[in-house]
Amino acid sequence: MLLSTDQTQALRRSKGDRNATTTGLAREIGVSRFALANALNGNAIRRTTGEKINAYLIKQLLKSQPVE
């Protein structure tokens, strides 16, 4: 599985905004640092890793949305 360009960019932005290390962000998402590094570099990852990353990105998006 490959992440889309938008997903990869959102993941990189989240990492940068939080000033997080790859290891720290991987721990927070629940994936290995090698899997996260592959995702950040645009390489293929397992489907389950992609699902965990997508769940993390959705959670971050929902946190950033103002509640009306």
Side-chain angles (χ1 to χ4, degrees), residues 2-60:
L2 290 173
L3 295 180
S4 71
T5 305
D6 290 337
Q7 290 169 310
T8 304
Q9 185 178 12
L11 190 58
R12 287 181 183 154
R13 177 175 286 265
S14 177
K15 182 177 181 277
D17 287 348
R18 305 171 109 262
N19 198 23
T21 63
T22 301
T23 303
L25 185 58
R27 188 175 298 128
E28 185 175 339
I29 295 172
V31 299
S32 73
R33 67 183 177 97
F34 299 107
L36 181 58
N38 280 333
L40 289 168
N41 291 323
N43 297 326
I45 55 173
R46 291 179 184 240
R47 181 183 52 82
T48 54
T49 301
E51 290 170 353
K52 290 178 183 180
I53 290 172
N54 283 334
Y56 169 80
L57 291 173
I58 290 168
K59 186 170 73 171
Q60 294 303 307

